[in-house]
Amino acid sequence: MKQVTAILLGAGQRGEVYANYGLSFPNELKMVGVAEPREDRRKAFADQHQIAPENAVADWKELMDRPKFADCVFVCTQDRMHYEPVMIALQKGYDVLCEKPMSYDRKELIEMGEMAKRQGRMLSICHVLRYSPFFVKLKELIDSGAVGQLINIQHMESVGYWHMAHSFVRGNWNKSEESCPMILAKCCHDVDILTYLAGSKCVKVSSFGDLSHFNPAHRPEGAPDRCLDGCPHRDTCPYYAPRFYLEHPKAITDGFRKVVSLDTSNEAVLKALETSPYGRCVYACGNDVVDNQLVNMEFENGVRASLTMSAFGENCERIINVMGSRGQIKGDMESNTLEVYDFASGLKSTLVVRIPEGGSHSGSDVSMMREFVELVANGATDSKTGAAASVESHLATLAAEESRLQGGMPIDVVSWAKHR
């Protein structure tokens, strides 16, 4: 297989995850350009990947204005900034890997899919769960008839109290108008995986949810605007910022500490928390995205599914319950276990799904990158998470948010998508 060359637009946390595949497998992927407005991140990334100085710039438009000089482009800019670079890259003849969500706008979604088809290029979306060994095995079991006729799926996305506080209360995804609704930012993964498992198009949705806790009404008495300004609740508040960024293991393993400060020493992190958005009281952040939401889905083939998203869990985990006419499968992605029960025999078996070492999302990121790079090298124009499938699940996700805003009114997804 030939070595694939790539340009990264947006060297944030997720962009680094995808690009670092080239550090682990340099014979397969080489990063040759980066656009990142933050100078410290841009320089660190360029040094790590040995990118020529003239190809490490602040504005992505500078790289896209040049003649094509790589095989593909990774679009990992902020959520509301995907449409323009994706469209230009496709027109330039690049294959594109786009971070989810594709867009917050249904018109843009459809146009992105149409452009990829018209240009004959691959537009693959980072719906990494479709590459997870856990969900790949679950899909195999469903399709093999392990539960008979598939009737219903119950799925729970526990965001994790610490992840919610970091990303969706204090962080870049805390306001719908500046990023996108929570259901799109965090759970378009989950709507997409339910569509994948059901093996059918979502035709109707309804949804309920709100910001139940992370608001000024729940601010403890005497809590200052910033945690380090002598908060009297430092020992009892689970969202006390210094405790999380200095003590919680996820702050390091999930890269959150590096988001606060590229220098991850205790001293540098504490200094950053004095002025950084990540040092604010979670009840004084001006955030408006929901912290809990329910989505009901009906598919064309008669399968029904429900999704529960909640910010109030110990772990960031996905729990699923698949019910059919002949059996049931209960799955826990955190432990990568699938419990299969057969109604006729009464037999119950537990499968432990083997995952590759390294990479987040239970090995999904590595699996996705391996396939994407191979597809680009071989000149393919579609992938498991190509534009057609991803546009469909994104539209269902946006329709769910529309339902929530309208008090849970059921929405016909097909009709709603046409009125753009």
Side-chain angles (χ1 to χ4, degrees), residues 26 39 90 120 124 150-151 162 196 230 280 291 320 324 336 388-389 397:
E39 184 179 5
L90 289 170
S124 191
L150 178 61
I151 305 294
W162 41 271
Y196 172 64
R280 295 178 295 177
D291 54 25
I320 195 163
N336 285 291
T397 307

Side-chain angles (χ1 to χ4, degrees), residues 161-162 165 233-241 243-244 283:
Y161 74 95
W162 41 271
H233 307 283
R234 57 178 294 170
D235 295 328
T236 57
C237 178
Y239 307 105
Y240 183 64
R243 182 185 307 112
F244 172 61
Y283 305 103

